[in-house]
Amino acid sequence: MKIGRFVVDGHIHCGKKDVTAKDSRVSGFNQEVESVDNSKEALYDMQVYGVDMGILLPSFNGTHSDHYAQICADHPDKFRTCAVETELRLDAMKGIRKWNIDDAIKELEGYFTGPYKEFFVGIGEFSPGSLGCVRDMPTKQERFTEWCKTAEFCIEYDIPCYFHEFSSFNLEDPLTMMACLCSKYPKFKLIIAHGGGSKAKDIEKAVDMAARFENVYLETGYWKAEYYEFALREEDLGAAKLIWGGGDTGSHLWYPQITFGTKMSESNKFSYNRNNWIWGQTKATNYQPDWLGWATHQAHRLKDLNLCTQDEINLIVGGNAARLYKLPVPDGCTFASNRPDLNIMPPEILNSVDPKARDGFPWPDGQYIGGTHTLIF
C-alpha cells in the first residue's frame, strides 16, 4: 500500500560511488569520490515502495551536477535534481583554483539557464561554500555575505536552497545566521537538511526556526515517526512545510541503525560504521541500504500513533515537494489546503510569492554580528 497519493523521495544520491577516487588529493570527509550512475538501485526501491518521483542531490567532491541532470533526462518522469557548484569544488580540492562565491554563483547560473534547466529545481544538498568544500575559512560576516548572494540568486530563479551547516560543536547556534537571512529575505525558500538531524534536541531547534518563517521547510529524511509530533503540534508550523524522503537513498556510506535497549540515548541512528571507516578504510557497504523501507514505515506509523490524518501525510510525503519543486502531478490528484483545524493555509498563502516580512532583524542592511541576540519575537 502506498503511503500517499503522490509520493516524492526528497533526498536521493545516485550519482556517486562511496569509494575514494584513486587520484583524490585529500582524504576524510573532503575526499573525492567516484562518479557513477547507480540510479537503477534507487528506481528499483522506488518501484518496490510506491514512490512516484525523487529529488536528486549532488553531494561530495567528485559528484557532478550535470551528471545528475543527465540521470533526470534519462528518466524525466521519475527524477528532478538540485545543483551544487560541483566543478568549482572539485577544482578547489585539486588546487586548480580557489573557491569563491562569485564563481560558485556563475556555475549555478549555468545550470539554471543551460540545456538541462528544466530538470534543475533547487540548490543542495550543500549550499555554496558549505559542507565538504575545500576553501579558506570565512569570517561570520563573510559567510553571511555569501549566504545573501545565494538567497538573491534563489529568489531570482524562484528555487529553494538546502541548509546543511548544523553542528553540535558550533560555538553559536548554527541556525542563528539563517534566522537573520530569512528576516532579511522573506522570499527566500530554505530547506533544513534532515530536519536538523536525527536527535530530538536538534530537531526541536529546527522546528522552532521553521515555525517563525513562512518559507523555511524541514526535510524529514532521518525522522522516526515520534519526531513529527514536534512539528505537527507546533501551532505555527504543521504539515504544510515538511518534505519527506528516504534520508540518503542511493548512498552506500550511511545507513539506518538501531541501538537496542537504550534508555538515555537515541534508539535510531543514521551513520556509518566508524570502525570500518577509521580502521579498515572501507567506507562503503557492498549493497544498497534500504532507506525507503524504513522511511515508508515511519509514514505508516504516523497514523498508528494518531499524530496526523492521511490528508496531512499526503502533504508530507509528496504534496509539499510537488509545490516547492513545481513537479508534474497526475490529473485529479489534489492536496489539502484551507484547513485551519490542521494548520494548513489556504492556497493563496501556500502559493504566495510575496510572503509577509517578519520583524526582528536588528542590524543595518547586509550586516551580521555573531554572538548577539538575533531575533526578538
Side-chain angles (χ1 to χ4, degrees), residues 128-298:
S130 68
L131 193 63
C133 184
V134 177
R135 57 165 301 180
D136 293 336
M137 182 67 71
T139 65
K140 290 181 178 179
Q141 179 61 56
E142 288 169 342
R143 185 61 185 145
F144 184 67
T145 300
E146 293 170 1
W147 264 110
C148 287
K149 291 185 177 183
T150 300
E152 290 165 2
F153 177 86
C154 290
I155 292 169
E156 179 182 356
Y157 286 92
D158 190 24
I159 55 172
C161 179
Y162 263 74
F163 172 74
H164 203 313
E165 297 176 33
F166 41 81
S167 168
S168 300
F169 300 108
N170 285 7
L171 298 180
E172 182 177 297
D173 190 310
L175 295 172
T176 298
M177 186 178 291
M178 292 301 98
C180 291
L181 188 76
C182 292
S183 287
K184 181 176 172 63
Y185 297 101
K187 294 182 181 180
F188 174 50
K189 299 174 183 177
L190 183 73
I191 303 173
I192 300 178
H194 307 297
S198 59
K199 296 182 179 180
K201 62 184 180 66
D202 298 324
I203 292 170
E204 286 187 275
K205 285 184 179 181
V207 164
D208 192 49
M209 165 78 176
R212 281 159 171 72
F213 300 97
E214 277 72 20
N215 272 329
V216 176
Y217 292 79
L218 302 172
E219 178 248 303
T220 65
Y222 283 176
W223 288 13
K224 60 181 180 180
E226 287 81 358
Y227 290 159
Y228 284 83
E229 183 174 348
F230 296 135
L232 294 170
R233 296 296 176 265
E234 166 57 57
E235 60 183 12
D236 292 323
L237 187 54
K241 295 199 294 177
L242 304 181
I243 307 294
W244 176 89
D248 270 304
T249 303
S251 175
H252 288 214
L253 178 61
W254 320 103
Y255 36 83
Q257 297 173 320
I258 301 294
T259 303
F260 299 101
T262 57
K263 293 183 181 295
M264 302 299 292
S265 60
E266 301 296 331
S267 61
N268 293 78
K269 295 191 298 184
F270 303 91
S271 190
Y272 52 86
N273 187 323
R274 181 182 180 276
N275 292 347
N276 282 353
W277 186 315
I278 301 299
W279 297 339
Q281 299 301 310
T282 301
K283 299 176 177 63
T285 63
N286 59 2
Y287 79 104
Q288 172 60 68
D290 196 336
W291 288 95
L292 281 178
W294 187 87
T296 52
H297 181 56
Q298 302 313 304

Side-chain angles (χ1 to χ4, degrees), residues 1-10 45-53 220-221 223 228 243-247 291-304 308-319 333 335:
M1 178 181 175
K2 287 183 64 176
I3 56 176
R5 286 173 172 167
F6 182 73
V7 182
V8 181
D9 184 342
D45 281 356
M46 290 167 66
Q47 174 68 28
V48 168
Y49 293 108
V51 175
D52 298 291
M53 292 194 73
T220 65
W223 288 13
Y228 284 83
I243 307 294
W244 176 89
W291 288 95
L292 281 178
W294 187 87
T296 52
H297 181 56
Q298 302 313 304
H300 285 303
R301 292 185 63 232
L302 291 174
K303 288 183 289 186
D304 295 336
C308 60
T309 65
Q310 185 62 49
D311 281 340
E312 291 168 286
I313 291 174
N314 287 342
L315 284 174
I316 294 168
V317 303
C333 180
F335 300 102

Side-chain angles (χ1 to χ4, degrees), residues 81-123:
T81 187
C82 289
V84 178
E85 74 286 12
T86 49
E87 307 315 300
L88 175 58
R89 285 170 173 251
L90 195 56
D91 283 353
M93 190 212 69
K94 292 181 176 180
I96 297 173
R97 52 178 170 156
K98 279 194 170 185
W99 187 93
N100 66 88
I101 186 62
D102 293 329
D103 282 353
I105 295 297
K106 184 178 180 180
E107 181 178 334
L108 290 170
E109 189 172 41
Y111 297 132
F112 286 90
T113 60
Y116 290 122
K117 62 183 180 182
E118 65 182 292
F119 299 115
F120 286 109
V121 295
I123 296 176

Side-chain angles (χ1 to χ4, degrees), residues 11-19 33-46 56-59 63 67-68 70-72 74-75 79 248-254 284-289 291-292:
H11 198 122
I12 298 179
H13 302 294
C14 60
K16 66 182 174 70
K17 186 177 181 181
D18 291 312
V19 174
V33 298
E34 292 184 20
S35 177
V36 68
D37 180 356
N38 64 337
S39 57
K40 287 184 179 179
E41 295 177 345
L43 287 166
Y44 183 88
D45 281 356
M46 290 167 66
L56 307 184
L57 301 175
S59 55
T63 57
H67 183 204
Y68 277 69
Q70 181 61 59
I71 295 173
C72 295
D74 292 339
H75 308 280
F79 294 129
D248 270 304
T249 303
S251 175
H252 288 214
L253 178 61
W254 320 103
T285 63
N286 59 2
Y287 79 104
Q288 172 60 68
W291 288 95
L292 281 178

